[in-house]
Every structure is written in structure tokens, then in C-alpha cells.
Amino acid sequence: MSGEKRRYVSVEEQELRRLKEQESRLRSVQQDLPERLNAVKEQARQEFQQRLAPLEQRAQQQEKETQKLRSNLADLEKDTQKRLQQQRQEFQTAVRESENRQQQALQRETSRLESAMRQGFEQQRSEYLRITSEQRQEYTRLIAQQDQKFTQLIAQERQARERGQKILQQQIDRVVTDIAQEKQRKAKIAEDLLADVETIWSQIDRDYQHQRFAPGRLADLHRGLEIARNNIQAGVTEAAIATTQQTYLDLADLRLELEQKEQEWLLFYNAAWEDLKSLITEVQANRECEIEVGQGNEAEKFKLEVDYWVNGRLSQYEQQLNDLESQLKAGESTLTTEQVKELGEKIAALQPILGEIVEQAKLAILGSQLRVEIADKVVEVLESLGYTLVNPSADAVYEGDDQRNAYVVKVKNIAGDEVVTVISPEKEFGNNSVSINSFSETIVDETATQQNAKAIFDALSEEGVQGDSSVECNQQAKIEYQNLEEVKRRQVGKQTGT
């Protein structure tokens, strides 16, 4: 005959706090995380410099081509190139200064980060996220600074263009007595101006990522050049000059806009890339953790494979990061600024999750230890009632030989009656179901089993493990737990609880 007494139990709040905080400390096994993060940031800095190199090469190419311009735009373009070159130099200087400040800040914080790692994972994560937040703010300041500089540059450019327009108008208005000569002179001005603006249009088409940062705008401006060319062919030179002038002004505005958007994109991209690579590095450094349970001489240390204790959640998380890395890498030449910003926001949103995963692993191992402690208390009570743990190494097992699963312990009395207690994890940390199964060759004494169950649950209550429900009584015990060898070999699904 057999029977089961089952009850859902939970750990008191005070006891939970003790388990979570006072009596347990989680640490990273890898102690070289600061060095790894420094290496990531240095690699990101070098890659950023490589992305800046084409800007300088483009400037040199444009400077050579400006010397071949035939109209009064040559002087305007030379001045523009000087101002753009100065802006690029200031941009690169600002980037280097920002990188130096970040590097110095990380070096200053390395000792604090190392100290936080010794204190525990929670302190480490808090310190790391603070440093990351400060570095992201550095990029934000740099973007705002460049926006202000471009505003000043645009104002200077417009003043220069106004002066250029006046000079051109003076050339057009110059009095020529011979009508044929006048017509020929204006035609030459129109043709030279059109040729120069076409050259500038081609430069932008060749050198800038206009379809990414201003889709369709350059193609629209080409229509102005076609109209001007038709006007020249029709002999309407002044209209051609006016149309070409306006097209040049629009092209100059577009070029400044593309310069600004490209630099802004570079800053957003580098910030997202650096954040992501740092987070991946941190995940790799925390695949294994060490948990210390207890204090002083009674403290015990356990190494835990984080992914095992969270049922593969760390691997899934790392795959999310790898997918984002693939998107950033594959989209380096196609992603828009908005898309990069969105990816950066996703990365920032994922940063705290690593702490949640490792905390889940910590609670899972504490929950596993708690099930053993509950079983020990059950055995202690049953021993006082005449039962014995015959073979401690064989009569206490985890289901499926998996510490995430139910813990099962069996005791016997002199008459051969067996009591098998199954402590199964529930979803919330500290919650378990305790199933007391009695097996006997004779009739099960219901009164005795009820008294046994009461004694067990009273003892657990004194230890801070309270019953959350009334005791369920079932006539049939869980026969599948009677043979502990089979319980140990059993293939069971992954537990979702801790």
C-alpha cells in the first residue's frame, strides 16, 4: 500500500534575503576583464581611425580637382576646401581628445572595477555600466559639439557665396560695346560655370554616400544642370547662369550636409560597435562564475556554469549579441544613421540583461542547495520517528542527475516501510513543492502518515520554510520515485524555475 502527502512551501522573506545577500556572494572566475575591455576599446579606436582615413583622402583629391576649375567658383571652392579641411582636422582632434579622455577614465577606474569584481558580481556590473554610461555621454557631447561647428561653418559658407555671386554679377554686368562679343563673353561664362558645377556634382556623386544620407537629392539637382545646358544651347545664357548658380548653391549645401551626416554616422556607429564588443567580451568572461555560500570558516565555494544553471539562456543572449554584431558589420556601408541609432539603443537595452542572467544562475544554485537543506531537515524529522537513511550516497539524488531538478531522498524503518520525499522547484525562487510518499507491504497507517507529514512541515516552518497551502492527501504515492537509481537515470525536461 502507499500514499502521498504534498504541500507547497516557500521561504520566509527574511530567510530569502539571507540566502540572496548576507550568506552568498557571486564573483567572476575571470579576473582579467578590465584588461579585456581595454583591449576592446583600443581595437575600436584603431578601427575608428581607419574609417576616418578616407575623409582625408577625399579632401586631397578634391583639392587637386579644384585647381582645374575655370570659373570664379575656383576661388570659392578653394576657400571652401580650406574651411572643410580645418573642420575635419578639428573633428579628428576632438575625436582623439575624446578617446584619450575615455582611455584615461577607464585606466583610473580599472582599480575600482577590479575591486568591485572582488566584492561581487552585482558591484562589478554596477561599476561597469556606470563607466559605459559615461563613455556614451562623451560621444553625445562630441556629436553636439560637431553640430555647433557645422552651424558656424554653414554661416561662413553662405557669406562667402554671397560675395562670389556679387563678383560673378559684376562680370556679367561689365559693359561691352560689341553685341556679338557680349553674347560670346556671356556664353563663355555660362559654359565655364556649368562645366565647373558639373565637376562638383560628379565629385559629390563619386566621393559621398549621398544615397544613404540624402537619398534622391543629388539626382534632383542634376536636372538643374540639364536645364542650364539646354538654355546655353538655346542662347539664353543669363538664364543658364542663374540656374547653374542656384544649382551650385544647392550642391554646396548638400555637400556640407553630407559631411556633417557622415561624421555623425561615424560617431554613432563607433559608439554602438564599442558598446557591443565590450558587452560580448563581458559575456565571454562570465560564462563561469563562483558563488560563496555562508561566512567565515563555514563558507563554501561553488563554481557554476552560468549557461547550465539558466537552461541555455546565456547562449541565447550571446546569440542575440552576435546577431547584432553581424548586422553592424554587414551594414557598415549601408546602414543609415537612424538604423545605427536604433541598433545602439537595442545594445544599450540589452546591457542590464547579463546581470539578470547571472543573478538567475545564482538563485538557481541557491535553490538547488535549499532543496538539499529541506531534504536534510525532512530526514532529521523522520529519523526521530524511527526511519533511517540506509545509504546516503544512493538514497539521496537529483532527478536525472541534474542539480536543477527535484531532489529526492529515501528512508526506511525496521519494518521495511519506505518514505520517499521529493522536493521539486517551483517558478519563483524559494518556492518548492514537498511530496512525502509512503510505501509499505502492509496497509499504510493513515494516521501515522499524517502525523509524519505534520511533524515534517512543522519542523520546516521553524526553519523559515512556510507552507503556502493545505496538505494534499493522495491515496497513491508517486511510484515513479520509489527506485532512486531509475530516478537518477531518468531523462527529464529542463526546469524553468530556480
Side-chain angles (χ1 to χ4, degrees):
M1 295 291 292
S2 61
E4 180 202 16
K5 300 291 182 290
R6 183 173 60 199
R7 193 177 196 184
Y8 293 93
V9 299
S10 62
V11 177
E12 289 180 342
E13 186 175 348
Q14 182 178 354
E15 183 68 6
L16 277 178
R17 285 199 300 270
R18 179 189 70 81
L19 286 170
K20 286 182 177 179
E21 300 170 8
Q22 298 174 1
E23 297 294 323
S24 58
R25 182 174 295 167
L26 191 65
R27 301 186 185 89
S28 298
V29 175
Q30 303 292 338
Q31 295 298 315
D32 61 345
L33 180 59
E35 289 79 6
R36 294 190 190 192
L37 292 175
N38 274 323
V40 167
K41 294 184 183 302
E42 175 58 24
Q43 180 65 29
R45 187 193 67 78
Q46 293 177 9
E47 291 175 357
F48 195 15
Q49 292 301 320
Q50 291 171 3
R51 294 187 185 101
L52 290 175
L55 275 64
E56 186 61 33
Q57 295 168 2
R58 177 175 68 200
Q60 293 173 0
Q61 178 68 19
Q62 290 178 355
E63 186 177 350
K64 290 179 182 178
E65 292 175 351
T66 298
Q67 296 173 2
K68 300 177 183 178
L69 297 180
R70 298 181 294 181
S71 71
N72 72 314
L73 293 186
D75 292 334
L76 276 178
E77 283 293 291
K78 287 176 184 177
D79 291 341
T80 295
Q81 290 301 327
K82 288 179 182 178
R83 281 189 288 272
L84 280 174
Q85 181 64 14
Q86 181 181 357
Q87 191 280 329
R88 292 189 194 100
Q89 290 174 349
E90 290 176 354
F91 173 66
Q92 295 192 32
T93 299
V95 168
R96 285 193 295 270
E97 290 175 350
S98 174
E99 289 173 341
N100 289 336
R101 285 194 295 270
Q102 290 183 38
Q103 188 175 22
Q104 290 168 7
L106 189 59
Q107 288 173 347
R108 288 196 304 269
E109 302 295 349
T110 295
S111 59
R112 187 181 298 182
L113 183 56
E114 290 174 343
S115 175
M117 291 177 69
R118 289 191 294 272
Q119 292 172 8
F121 183 81
E122 185 176 350
Q123 289 85 350
Q124 170 200 322
R125 282 294 293 161
S126 176
E127 190 66 25
Y128 168 75
L129 291 177
R130 183 187 65 79
I131 293 171
T132 302
S133 175
E134 289 179 355
Q135 291 173 346
R136 197 177 298 111
Q137 289 171 9
E138 185 72 29
Y139 278 111
T140 302
R141 285 193 294 270
L142 188 53
I143 290 168
Q145 177 184 341
Q146 293 310 304
D147 184 62
Q148 183 180 8
K149 286 185 177 296
F150 264 102
T151 300
Q152 296 170 354
L153 180 60
I154 289 169
Q156 292 172 356
E157 278 290 295
R158 286 177 179 167
Q159 291 173 3
R161 286 180 225 151
E162 289 175 3
R163 291 193 296 270
Q165 282 181 301
K166 289 179 181 178
I167 293 171
L168 178 61
Q169 193 60 46
Q170 289 170 0
Q171 292 177 342
I172 297 170
D173 294 342
R174 193 173 63 195
V175 177
V176 178
T177 56
D178 187 280
I179 294 176
Q181 185 181 357
E182 169 74 3
K183 186 176 180 180
Q184 186 178 11
R185 184 181 64 81
K186 286 185 177 180
K188 180 69 166 61
I189 291 173
E191 289 169 358
D192 287 349
L193 187 62
L194 178 60
D196 287 352
V197 176
E198 284 180 328
T199 297
I200 294 166
W201 188 96
S202 298
Q203 285 178 350
I204 296 175
D205 186 37
R206 180 194 66 208
D207 296 338
Y208 291 90
Q209 301 176 60
H210 54 88
Q211 279 300 102
R212 174 152 46 157
F213 298 123
R217 293 264 299 281
L218 189 62
D220 289 343
L221 292 178
H222 195 269
R223 283 192 280 273
L225 300 180
E226 293 171 351
I227 293 171
R229 189 178 300 107
N230 291 334
N231 285 336
I232 291 174
Q233 292 172 355
V236 190
T237 55
E238 290 194 16
I241 290 170
T243 301
T244 307
Q245 268 190 304
Q246 185 57 52
T247 302
Y248 170 69
L249 297 178
D250 292 338
L251 283 170
D253 283 341
L254 177 60
R255 180 170 54 194
L256 288 178
E257 181 181 333
L258 292 172
E259 287 272 356
Q260 181 178 9
K261 286 187 174 181
E262 184 174 16
Q263 292 179 13
E264 182 183 58
W265 183 92
L266 285 168
L267 291 170
F268 277 117
Y269 186 89
N270 197 65
W273 183 256
E274 187 176 319
D275 281 351
L276 180 59
K277 295 297 287 185
S278 296
L279 187 53
I280 290 173
T281 297
E282 196 186 9
V283 169
Q284 293 169 345
N286 285 288
R287 286 198 179 107
E288 264 194 342
C289 286
E290 180 182 78
I291 186 170
E292 181 178 337
V293 181
Q295 295 179 337
N297 295 331
E298 297 180 359
E300 291 184 83
K301 293 181 180 179
F302 304 89
K303 270 190 180 179
L304 61 106
E305 291 281 347
V306 173
D307 204 42
Y308 165 81
W309 285 101
V310 296
N311 298 319
R313 187 183 171 196
L314 184 66
S315 291
Q316 294 172 5
Y317 177 65
E318 188 172 13
Q319 186 58 51
Q320 280 184 281
L321 301 180
N322 290 337
D323 289 344
L324 288 171
E325 181 184 18
S326 297
Q327 289 181 52
L328 276 175
K329 189 180 295 183
E332 185 172 350
S333 60
T334 58
L335 287 170
T336 65
T337 302
E338 286 304 314
Q339 289 171 330
V340 171
K341 287 169 70 175
E342 287 175 8
L343 288 173
E345 289 168 1
K346 287 182 180 179
I347 294 163
L350 286 171
Q351 285 179 331
I353 293 178
L354 176 60
E356 297 171 11
I357 291 173
V358 178
E359 178 67 11
Q360 180 186 343
K362 167 187 171 179
L363 296 183
I365 196 170
L366 289 175
S368 180
Q369 289 298 113
L370 176 61
R371 292 194 287 281
V372 174
E373 292 178 10
I374 291 173
D376 289 344
K377 193 64 184 177
V378 170
V379 169
E380 182 181 323
V381 172
L382 290 173
E383 284 179 339
S384 70
L385 298 174
Y387 290 85
T388 304
L389 191 64
V390 179
N391 185 348
S393 62
D395 289 344
V397 301
Y398 283 100
E399 188 173 11
D401 200 24
D402 188 330
Q403 296 178 56
R404 299 168 295 183
N405 293 333
Y407 190 70
V408 186
V409 61
K410 180 165 71 173
V411 294
K412 290 183 179 181
N413 64 13
I414 195 170
D417 298 335
E418 297 179 343
V419 176
V420 177
T421 304
V422 183
I423 301 99
S424 303
E426 295 298 318
K427 187 175 181 179
E428 297 296 325
F429 173 66
N431 290 1
N432 293 276
S433 68
V434 178
S435 172
I436 304 167
N437 299 269
S438 301
F439 300 92
S440 175
E441 295 296 328
T442 60
I443 297 176
V444 172
D445 186 340
E446 180 63 21
T447 301
T449 59
Q450 288 184 1
Q451 290 174 346
N452 290 349
K454 184 178 185 304
I456 289 170
F457 292 124
D458 286 348
L460 291 177
S461 181
E462 291 176 3
E463 296 295 322
V465 182
Q466 297 287 347
D468 288 344
S469 63
S470 59
V471 178
E472 299 177 17
C473 299
N474 300 310
Q475 290 185 350
Q476 295 296 321
K478 293 183 175 180
I479 190 69
E480 66 270 22
Y481 285 98
Q482 187 173 12
N483 186 325
L484 265 60
E485 276 299 315
E486 292 180 0
V487 171
K488 186 176 181 179
R489 294 195 301 268
R490 183 177 300 152
Q491 295 294 319
V492 293
K494 293 178 180 179
Q495 296 289 337
T496 56
T498 55

